[in-house]
Amino acid sequence: MSAFYSPLVKNIARHEGLSQEELDRIQGTGVEGRVTKEDILLYVANRGTQQNTDHAKPTNAPLIKNEPAQVTPTPTVHTVVNGSDEIIEMDRMRRLISDHMVKSVQVSPHVCSFVEADVTNLVLWRNKVKDAYKKREGENITFTPLFIEAITKALKDFPLVNISIDGYNIIKKKNINIGMAAALPNGNLIVPVIKNADQLSLVGLSKSVNDLAQRSRANKLKPDDTQDGTFTFTNIGAFGNIMGTPIINQPQAAILAVGTITKKPAVIETEYGDMIGIRHMMYLSLSYDHRAIDGALGGTFLKRVADYLENWDSNREI
């Protein structure tokens, strides 16, 4: 009678072409001598070596626990079916993202604030200028550079948000370098950086945003393109999300997310009294490091970004 084997072990055996007799010969190191995932993967690794280098031994010779293994590689099982479940090994980039996010949560006590902004003037302005801009510049003007411009203005108003923390020291950054979170076609995330964003015109910001986005999707970013960010912006509205609580991109101290722009009925204050109108509304959220940024600073900064967006000049030339 065969011993008990977990569904995962059985599926690995089937995937690797192990017979039941061969599986029964593996000496397990688990509870009550059961064969574990590590036991069978180590056996498979050495089984391949034995088949290629020692033809005098039968190919179903078991791996004896007391014998030192000739080769002990770490096998990579990209996909293993376990019943109806699928196990997928993270690629190198996803592992780096995972470690970076865990470290950020462990290091920074996250606080999140939210505001809702009426961006009707901004939306109408963009709709008015986008065709002429594309004809003149040969590319689209998206909402992203408009959001980034408002962020850079607010960072200049509140420089203690544009910081990093080293122990008990607050490092106030001279430059305003905005990281722009971008989703890659494979599902991973990358954050190219617009250096000295506060010194760029709106046209310059738009061209930088389009260039970094295109090179991100084409995997043509240079190492310097993702370095030295001081603040990160992420547009979760691109995925239809209304708001979110993003994780701080270390060693920065804050990250701002914008949700999708939706039409809503809203109260409009006029000199003749309050009226109800259809407005373009959007939520903004700011996650910040509570070690150095308190609610008053974080909340006021976020409201200032919203104010810049709400008070967009409808007659602005670009």
Side-chain angles (χ1 to χ4, degrees):
M1 181 177 178
S2 298
F4 172 84
Y5 300 102
S6 70
L8 177 58
V9 168
K10 287 181 178 179
N11 280 309
I12 295 174
R14 183 163 53 250
H15 180 76
E16 298 295 339
L18 273 67
S19 66
Q20 185 63 52
E21 180 182 2
E22 192 171 7
L23 184 58
D24 290 340
R25 289 177 178 272
I26 300 175
Q27 186 169 347
T29 60
V31 178
E32 298 180 351
R34 290 179 179 174
V35 175
T36 66
K37 171 188 172 184
E38 288 72 24
D39 294 333
I40 190 170
L41 290 177
L42 185 60
Y43 174 81
V44 168
N46 286 278
R47 174 176 178 255
T49 302
Q50 291 168 345
Q51 287 176 339
N52 292 332
T53 62
D54 192 354
H55 298 284
K57 295 182 180 180
T59 59
N60 63 348
L63 174 66
I64 307 299
K65 185 174 64 173
N66 294 330
E67 292 182 359
Q70 297 176 7
V71 181
T72 56
T74 303
T76 300
V77 181
H78 292 285
T79 303
V80 177
V81 176
N82 180 13
S84 60
D85 299 331
E86 188 178 16
I87 300 172
I88 302 173
E89 184 178 354
M90 291 183 181
D91 59 25
R92 180 178 178 275
M93 190 172 186
R94 177 51 56 180
R95 292 180 186 181
L96 292 173
I97 294 171
S98 174
D99 292 342
H100 192 57
M101 294 297 98
V102 170
K103 177 184 175 183
S104 182
V105 173
Q106 291 174 338
V107 168
S108 296
H110 282 57
V111 178
C112 201
S113 295
F114 303 89
V115 297
E116 187 176 24
D118 182 342
V119 293
T120 303
N121 289 345
L122 182 146
V123 172
L124 296 179
W125 176 86
R126 176 181 172 272
N127 289 342
K128 181 175 67 174
V129 305
K130 64 181 182 180
D131 291 339
Y133 182 88
K134 184 172 184 179
K135 183 177 180 180
R136 189 187 77 200
E137 302 294 338
E139 58 186 35
N140 294 322
I141 180 167
T142 66
F143 285 109
T144 297
L146 315 186
F147 297 145
I148 290 177
E149 183 187 70
I151 291 169
T152 61
K153 288 181 178 180
L155 286 173
K156 295 185 79 170
D157 295 339
F158 298 95
L160 286 178
V161 176
N162 193 50
I163 64 169
S164 63
I165 301 171
D166 181 15
Y168 291 118
N169 296 318
I170 296 173
I171 303 171
K172 187 168 69 171
K173 300 294 186 177
K174 177 181 178 182
N175 298 328
I176 296 178
N177 300 334
I178 305 297
M180 183 183 70
L184 298 175
N186 63 4
N188 285 324
L189 181 72
I190 197 164
V191 186
V193 176
I194 302 174
K195 307 291 177 60
N196 298 306
D198 58 313
Q199 298 179 23
L200 297 176
S201 66
L202 192 53
V203 173
L205 281 174
S206 181
K207 289 186 175 295
S208 294
V209 165
N210 290 340
D211 172 61
L212 290 172
Q214 291 167 7
R215 289 196 287 122
S216 295
R217 291 190 290 266
N219 292 320
K220 292 183 178 180
L221 290 175
K222 301 174 183 177
D224 184 61
D225 290 328
T226 58
Q227 302 298 315
D228 302 323
T230 63
F231 186 97
T232 296
F233 161 79
T234 180
N235 185 356
I236 61 174
F239 312 109
N241 300 156
I242 60 170
M243 68 172 65
T245 55
I247 296 176
I248 297 166
N249 185 15
Q250 297 292 331
Q252 299 165 28
I255 178 172
L256 187 146
V258 299
T260 186
I261 299 173
T262 57
K263 291 182 180 180
K264 289 182 179 182
V267 175
I268 305 171
E269 296 181 357
T270 73
E271 58 180 315
Y272 306 106
D274 293 344
M275 301 173 59
I276 299 294
I278 303 300
R279 309 295 288 177
H280 294 267
M281 306 297 292
M282 179 183 70
Y283 286 105
L284 297 86
S285 57
L286 180 75
S287 295
Y288 47 98
D289 192 329
H290 209 348
R291 291 178 299 171
I293 303 175
D294 294 326
L297 175 58
T300 307
F301 166 80
L302 182 61
K303 183 62 170 62
R304 184 64 57 84
V305 176
D307 289 344
Y308 280 125
L309 295 174
E310 288 189 333
N311 297 316
W312 193 269
D313 182 1
S314 299
N315 299 314
R316 181 173 178 176
E317 299 288 339
I318 183 171

